Amino acid sequence: MKRGRAKAAPRAKPAAARPLDGRALAKALLDALPARVAALADQRGEAPRLAILAIGSDSPSEAYLKSKLQSCRAAGIETSVHSLPRTTTESEALVVLDDLAKNAQVDGIIIEVPLPEQLDARRLTARIPPEKDVEGVTERNFGRLFAARKMADLESGGVFVPCTAAAVLRLLETTGIDPRGKEAVVVGRSNIVGKPVAQLLTCLDATVTLCHTRTKDLAAHVRRADILVCAAGKPGLIKGRMLKRGCVVLDAGTTYEGNVVKGDVDAASASRVAGWLTPVPGGIGPVTTAALLANTVLAAERRTRERLAA
Ligand code: NAP
């Protein structure tokens, strides 16, 4: 009897990665703020106030500033923008910062970046009092963040989690995946994204590898990651073939190519392998803004508690 070759079953198409919707999460986080803002206004007669120092101008940064102001208005947070010209000297900028530091009505202070080249971000940032450091960028805050062993130590230590790092963790939380014992790989070691994310994942008991431009064989590290965080600012650096199947990919990369914004991950190939993937735009970005507003309300709550306890 002639036996026909068994017909191969059609190969199942791999499911596309689930998108991690930053806009929806940001909305949920922002929706929780007006009640806290109203409670503060009742307690101390004033809404929280965020002061923004903007020196010179840069188009992506201006768009980001507008979106922050709009979100603050919607949440009931007062804002003041202190605009200085591109030619501002360090001593002129420090006068404004020192005034804001002393002003009892100001709960949070942020400095827009990029700064004109004559200004040193570290020296300006150092004048922000830690209790008003709502972006978590001062060295005092950074030290407290890295002194923490567990997430609970952050609140007791009065830490402000840097906003993009907070956004990465918030989006990871929405997957329901517990980082404990997982392999986490962070690409990028800046003070505002890569390093704080690595520290937070360590506090959550993940085993963390921090990669940078001197890392030998980036792909070999990335392939081990159950959780991958990208913060390199290099569009297309991470391809689907580098990923472990089913992993969570959180892409903070935000690079403008003309009017198009690109992440570090090649979304087309990555979505065929990853289990979860943040879109760019619409992933980490909107949650970062929500985290800034949440930190501003937290600063106001902490300052009010201290004032009432004094
Ligand atoms: P950064 O200060 O320029 O740091 C980039 C980091 O990536 C550095 O540590 C660098 O390594 C590493 N890196 C660059 N190319 C690499 C490569 N080919 N392989 C491995 N590592 C590489 O940037 P950042 O301020 O952290 O920002 C990173 C990205 O996140 C940018 O696209 C930025 O726009 C974006 N971002 C987004 C938000 C948001 O709200 N969504 C907020 C902040 C930043 P070395 O240290 O060796 O140079």
Side-chain angles (χ1 to χ4, degrees):
M1 200 170 76
K2 206 174 161 193
R3 276 194 171 160
R5 273 226 321 244
K7 217 173 161 189
R11 201 187 289 171
K13 214 174 148 197
R18 277 170 278 187
L20 289 167
D21 186 347
R23 293 197 176 107
L25 176 59
K27 183 177 179 316
L29 295 173
L30 292 171
D31 284 349
L33 296 182
R36 288 167 66 190
V37 170
L40 276 161
D42 274 353
Q43 244 178 335
R44 62 180 204 170
E46 281 170 4
R49 178 176 289 274
L50 176 66
I52 302 169
L53 177 60
I55 308 178
S57 67
D58 170 83
S59 52
S61 150
E62 260 177 24
Y64 183 41
L65 173 59
K66 273 190 200 146
S67 100
K68 279 186 277 205
L69 293 175
Q70 215 169 16
S71 304
C72 283
R73 233 185 340 266
I77 297 172
E78 301 286 344
T79 52
S80 57
V81 180
H82 305 263
S83 300
L84 298 178
R86 186 168 281 283
T87 50
T88 299
T89 62
E90 181 176 303
S91 53
E92 287 166 340
L94 292 180
V95 168
V96 176
L97 282 168
D98 288 345
D99 277 348
L100 295 173
K102 274 186 277 177
N103 187 335
Q105 289 181 313
V106 169
D107 294 297
I109 303 173
I110 64 176
I111 304 173
E112 287 292 289
V113 288
L115 285 167
E117 60 182 20
Q118 74 276 15
L119 297 174
D120 179 333
R122 249 178 104 188
R123 289 162 65 95
L124 298 195
T125 301
R127 295 297 253 269
I128 300 175
E131 68 277 11
K132 296 188 180 186
D133 176 18
V134 290
E135 283 188 314
V137 290
T138 60
E139 291 184 358
R140 291 263 290 280
N141 186 73
F142 212 56
R144 291 173 186 175
L145 174 69
F146 276 83
R149 286 201 61 230
K150 298 284 166 197
M151 296 302 272
D153 299 337
L154 300 178
E155 184 52 33
S156 60
V159 173
F160 288 105
V161 176
C163 303
T164 305
V168 167
L169 269 279
R170 287 292 199 160
L171 275 161
L172 174 59
E173 236 172 61
T174 65
T175 64
I177 291 167
D178 181 355
R180 176 177 297 190
K182 298 279 191 307
E183 290 289 335
V185 173
V186 181
V187 184
R189 57 176 161 180
S190 75
N191 286 354
I192 60 164
V193 194
K195 272 194 260 176
V197 167
Q199 163 64 356
L200 292 168
L201 288 167
T202 305
C203 286
L204 289 167
D205 296 327
T207 303
V208 182
T209 305
L210 187 57
C211 299
H212 43 77
T213 54
R214 300 286 181 257
T215 298
K216 285 184 188 155
D217 202 351
L218 178 67
H221 292 286
V222 168
R223 201 162 292 118
R224 284 188 297 104
D226 301 305
I227 298 165
L228 175 68
V229 180
C230 302
K234 293 285 177 287
L237 177 66
I238 306 297
K239 311 271 190 247
R241 63 174 181 273
M242 297 162 75
L243 302 174
K244 179 173 179 176
R245 184 158 297 283
C247 67
V248 184
V249 180
L250 300 133
D251 186 0
T254 311
T255 305
Y256 283 87
E257 289 184 353
N259 284 333
V260 180
V261 58
K262 297 207 165 154
D264 290 342
V265 178
D266 172 42
S269 60
S271 71
R272 291 194 288 270
V273 186
W276 303 85
L277 177 63
T278 51
V280 178
I284 310 284
V287 187
T288 298
T289 307
L292 170 67
L293 270 61
N295 274 355
T296 304
V297 174
L298 178 63
E301 289 167 344
R302 286 178 179 167
R303 295 181 70 242
T304 306
R305 258 198 312 272
E306 268 180 29
R307 214 183 303 163
L308 295 177

